[in-house]
Amino acid sequence: TPFTLTSLSIDFIKSKEMRVIPDSYKFQFKRAQFQVNASDYYLFDGTVPIIYHGIIGSKKVQTLSYGQAYFSQLINKDQNTFAISTFYEPKKIQALGLLFPKGSKNLLIKTELLKKQNDPVFDTDGQLHYDYDNHQFVYMHYYKNQFIVMDENLNLKATFKTIDTVAQPKITISELSDGKRKMSQPPLVVNKKSTVKYGLVFNESNLIGRHENKESWNNSAVIDVYSTFEQKYIGSFYLPKPKEIKKIQFMITDQYLVVLIGNEIVRYRFAQNLSQYFIKGKAENLDKE
């Protein structure tokens, strides 16, 4: 249901579904997704590529950007700025960039941020985040023990390592007869799902630790927590997860960790020994969640 937006109150009492209506349907959508930011929400598909804008409570969305850039990920920083990850054709690499739907210069691509070791596309695959409270972008690599921190203009601030030991992606690439490249076997995933809030990275590790209990590992998601201001591992915690559930999603609010596991949403309250590390800078909008 890519055009249905569901809202749920933080106390889990009230929920509402809304069928979203774009001002134009003339496209072949492949990866339609939503992103909510305060009172605004965005419907987008980087394969078209298109971004719609709507106001919470209104089911109609208007085209904000069309044809400016293809993208695999999109992060709404503010009403005038989006960060993207994209395939940069001139250099045949994966890159990060800023998209400005209403600006005179509507696209800025930063080709130097993602460092390849072997393959310029698969090596650098990862997840892009924005910490609204501290005005930082974070890019967590999937296949190596590294994440980078950037300012709000995508200028590199720091490169940090996770506690895993895989420093180089273990990926095997083969070239097809038409010149296209693909992974010839499943890659070793180091970091699975992550999110960023209050100067901390919450990262689901995919590799069992040396002293990890195997039974606990098989029935849980292990979340490692890191600082985005210094090379510092804060600690780890377990989220109960049935073995058959392969993927989870999670987000951070002021007091809670909210987790989507299968068809269930679970809310956890942060303990003081973790919330003491929250760095609550001056947010651009105090109603981001």
Side-chain angles (χ1 to χ4, degrees), residues 215-231:
E215 184 177 350
S216 297
W217 174 268
N218 287 333
N219 295 286
S220 306
V222 180
I223 309 299
D224 300 327
V225 185
Y226 303 91
S227 170
T228 62
F229 288 93
E230 58 181 319
Q231 178 65 64

Side-chain angles (χ1 to χ4, degrees), residues 7-278:
S7 60
L8 176 67
S9 60
I10 194 63
D11 58 11
F12 284 19
I13 294 176
K14 297 179 181 178
S15 64
K16 181 181 179 181
E17 282 193 357
M18 182 176 68
R19 176 72 176 177
V20 172
I21 304 174
D23 61 356
S24 176
Y25 274 103
K26 63 182 181 181
F27 310 108
Q28 292 293 321
F29 296 100
K30 295 180 181 178
R31 296 185 66 242
Q33 300 175 65
F34 281 108
Q35 187 170 140
V36 178
N37 189 349
S39 60
D40 301 286
Y41 72 95
Y42 302 89
L43 171 65
F44 58 92
D45 190 329
T47 67
V48 174
I50 194 166
I51 306 171
Y52 300 96
H53 170 249
I55 303 296
I56 291 295
S58 173
K59 62 183 179 181
K60 294 184 178 180
V61 291
Q62 305 296 318
T63 301
L64 179 65
S65 168
Y66 172 60
Q68 289 182 274
Y70 291 92
F71 53 87
S72 54
Q73 295 182 76
L74 180 90
I75 300 291
N76 172 235
K77 174 181 170 288
D78 54 48
Q79 290 186 348
N80 302 312
T81 310
F82 295 83
I84 62 172
S85 62
T86 184
F87 178 73
Y88 185 59
E89 180 67 33
K91 292 189 175 182
K92 308 289 185 190
I93 62 171
Q94 186 167 203
L96 303 181
L98 294 174
L99 189 152
F100 311 97
K102 300 178 182 179
S104 55
K105 183 179 181 181
N106 55 29
L107 188 63
L108 173 65
I109 300 296
K110 309 275 279 192
T111 60
E112 74 285 355
L113 290 170
L114 304 181
K115 307 293 186 183
K116 78 175 184 72
Q117 288 168 303
N118 292 304
D119 185 87
V121 176
F122 298 108
D123 264 16
T124 56
D125 204 8
Q127 198 171 1
L128 180 63
H129 305 283
Y130 186 62
D131 183 346
Y132 292 97
D133 292 86
N134 294 289
H135 312 304
Q136 294 180 330
F137 285 103
V138 174
Y139 190 85
M140 174 66 75
H141 286 273
Y142 284 135
Y143 308 126
K144 60 183 176 181
N145 61 347
Q146 185 186 99
F147 65 94
I148 63 174
V149 180
M150 300 152 282
D151 67 15
E152 60 184 347
N153 297 311
L154 287 183
N155 296 312
L156 183 65
K157 295 178 66 177
T159 299
F160 295 131
K161 293 187 180 299
T162 67
I163 58 175
D164 293 295
T165 58
V166 181
Q168 293 195 14
K170 296 183 179 180
I171 297 174
T172 304
I173 306 297
S174 59
E175 188 167 321
L176 305 179
S177 58
D178 60 1
K180 293 182 179 180
R181 296 160 61 82
K182 71 169 188 176
M183 293 186 188
S184 53
Q185 61 186 38
L188 177 66
V189 177
V190 178
N191 307 303
K192 293 175 72 174
K193 202 72 176 178
S194 53
T195 193
V196 175
K197 184 76 170 174
Y198 297 144
L200 298 178
V201 177
F202 295 78
N203 178 60
E204 183 188 2
S205 175
N206 192 49
L207 302 181
I208 188 169
R210 183 181 302 173
H211 305 294
E212 208 91 53
N213 181 283
K214 191 169 184 180
E215 184 177 350
S216 297
W217 174 268
N218 287 333
N219 295 286
S220 306
V222 180
I223 309 299
D224 300 327
V225 185
Y226 303 91
S227 170
T228 62
F229 288 93
E230 58 181 319
Q231 178 65 64
K232 186 174 183 178
Y233 163 65
I234 305 296
S236 302
F237 58 87
Y238 290 89
L239 292 177
K241 178 181 70 68
K243 188 181 298 185
E244 65 271 14
I245 301 295
K246 301 300 181 183
K247 294 182 179 180
I248 68 171
Q249 296 181 57
F250 50 93
M251 62 175 290
I252 311 298
T253 71
D254 285 349
Q255 304 177 54
Y256 303 109
L257 170 69
V258 182
V259 186
L260 178 63
I261 302 178
N263 63 351
E264 294 184 344
I265 297 180
V266 185
R267 188 189 69 187
Y268 298 90
R269 183 185 292 273
F270 285 112
Q272 174 64 29
N273 61 353
L274 181 56
S275 62
Q276 66 177 321
Y277 292 102
F278 289 176

